[in-house]
Amino acid sequence: MLLEGKTVLVTGASAGIGRAVAIGCARHGANVALNFSRDVDGANAAVAEIEALGRKGIAVQGDVSDPATATAFIAKAVEALGRVDVFVNNAGICPFHAFLDMPVDTFERTMKVNLHGAYFMVQAAANQMVKQGDGGSIIAMSSISALVGGEYQTHYTPTKAGLHSLMQSVAIALGKHNIRCNSLFPGTILTDINKDDLADQAKRTYMEGRIPLGRLGQPEDLVGPTVFLASDLAQYVTGASLLVDGGAYVNLQ
Ligand SMILES: NC(=O)C1=CN([C@@H]2O[C@H](COP(=O)(O)OP(=O)(O)OC[C@H]3O[C@@H](n4cnc5c(N)ncnc54)[C@H](O)[C@@H]3O)[C@@H](O)[C@H]2O)C=CC1
Ligand SMILES: C[C@H](O)[C@@H]1OC(=O)[C@H](O)[C@@H]1O
């Protein structure tokens, strides 16, 4: 098993991609700590699935936009599971809104959750890995939106480009500690984040038509790429990004 003996931490893991990745890592042998913001039932159900796989799991509540959540999450994970080998920064929001009348609080909240929160989470996880002294893997759930724009995502796409930029810089800062830092770039994955946006059938059909593999993504599509970057198979991969988009990005015409 690729993650046997490793401890994996995932933020925003009560639903969607984070949940699939947390359970997927457990399936590949890891013990897993989940951060979640509000959905206690979702978090407990994910922990139950992890335990049913014979692994240890814990759920820790906290809003990632508060820097204090980061140090508390890492401390509670270490207390329960002993160490941090892999940190997956997944929590994120995308409240679709037009540019010209973007409310200040929507802009600021998106920045705080997606980027500021990531910064302090990654910093806290990295400090724990440095203390342990035997390396680690940090993975940011960035997006294809780090590379392309979105009319109703002017507040969101900069956070995803920023997350990737953060991974590139911390890959340099942490290389000497053998801590690898990489980004995943999911395309459009069917989760709660875009349920309302894709309720527009015309838009959904258009999006599907743009994808060479012929379908929108599912949260489970992110499991293999995450497990790879988390595992020792990726021992010489750092500062990199991997598109997981069914080919959407390269399909210009
Ligand atoms: N679904 C998609 O098409 C894509 C998603 N992504 C990214 O993947 C990540 C996961 O999103 P999805 O699973 O799609 O959406 P989702 O809405 O199902 O999951 C987002 C998770 O983040 C949590 N979260 C939100 N605010 C939080 C906060 N302040 N503190 C702690 N947790 C918080 C939510 O509770 C939820 O569990 C996000 O960062 C998103 O930007 C990237 C590319 C495409
Ligand atoms: C939420 C969107 O459907 C999704 O988020 C991303 O990061 C992708 O680029 C899609 O736009």
Side-chain angles (χ1 to χ4, degrees):
M1 280 201 242
L2 286 172
L3 303 182
E4 186 82 58
K6 292 194 191 288
T7 298
V8 176
L9 275 61
V10 188
T11 64
S14 58
I17 293 170
R19 181 181 200 279
V21 160
I23 295 167
C25 287
R27 205 179 308 122
H28 285 270
N31 295 323
V32 184
L34 325 178
N35 150 270
F36 70 101
S37 57
R38 284 195 293 262
D39 181 4
V40 178
D41 291 346
N44 287 340
V47 168
E49 281 202 45
I50 288 163
E51 289 174 345
L53 290 163
R55 313 286 163 222
K56 290 185 191 159
I58 60 154
V60 183
Q61 190 159 17
D63 180 335
V64 299
S65 71
D66 177 355
T69 296
T71 44
F73 180 41
I74 304 302
K76 285 184 182 152
V78 171
E79 188 185 305
L81 304 176
R83 52 185 288 115
V84 179
D85 298 295
V86 178
F87 178 75
V88 183
N89 193 89
N90 169 77
I93 57 171
C94 182
F96 287 77
H97 203 285
F99 174 57
L100 292 176
D101 63 348
M102 177 68 67
V104 171
D105 59 354
T106 302
F107 173 83
E108 289 184 345
R109 179 74 186 156
T110 305
M111 287 286 162
K112 279 197 177 136
V113 172
N114 295 9
L115 190 53
H116 299 202
Y119 190 96
F120 292 107
M121 275 287 180
V122 167
Q123 185 189 52
N127 270 308
Q128 175 60 29
M129 290 172 181
V130 169
K131 198 158 100 185
Q132 291 167 188
D134 53 0
S137 170
I138 296 174
I139 301 164
M141 207 55 74
S142 175
S143 172
I144 189 175
S145 296
L147 306 175
V148 294
E151 180 175 359
Y152 297 98
Q153 295 174 303
T154 58
H155 51 327
Y156 172 80
T157 60
T159 68
K160 293 294 156 177
L163 253 187
H164 177 49
S165 173
L166 175 63
M167 286 302 102
Q168 291 179 314
S169 286
V170 293
I172 301 166
L174 300 173
K176 61 175 83 69
H177 301 287
N178 196 29
I179 299 170
R180 300 179 294 100
C181 306
N182 296 290
S183 303
L184 287 171
F185 287 179
T188 301
I189 311 295
L190 292 165
T191 69
D192 287 347
I193 208 171
N194 49 28
K195 204 171 51 186
D196 295 341
D197 188 52
L198 294 173
D200 175 349
Q201 191 54 48
K203 177 161 186 184
R204 186 170 169 150
T205 303
Y206 166 75
M207 297 294 287
E208 284 165 349
R210 284 190 48 119
I211 299 170
L213 290 184
R215 64 172 177 85
L216 294 168
Q218 295 291 340
E220 287 68 27
D221 291 322
L222 272 305
V223 172
T226 302
V227 169
F228 166 66
L229 290 175
S231 78
D232 297 341
L233 285 182
Q235 64 184 12
Y236 198 55
V237 182
T238 196
S241 58
L242 177 58
L243 272 164
V244 187
D245 69 342
Y249 178 68
V250 297
N251 188 16
L252 180 60
Q253 54 188 345

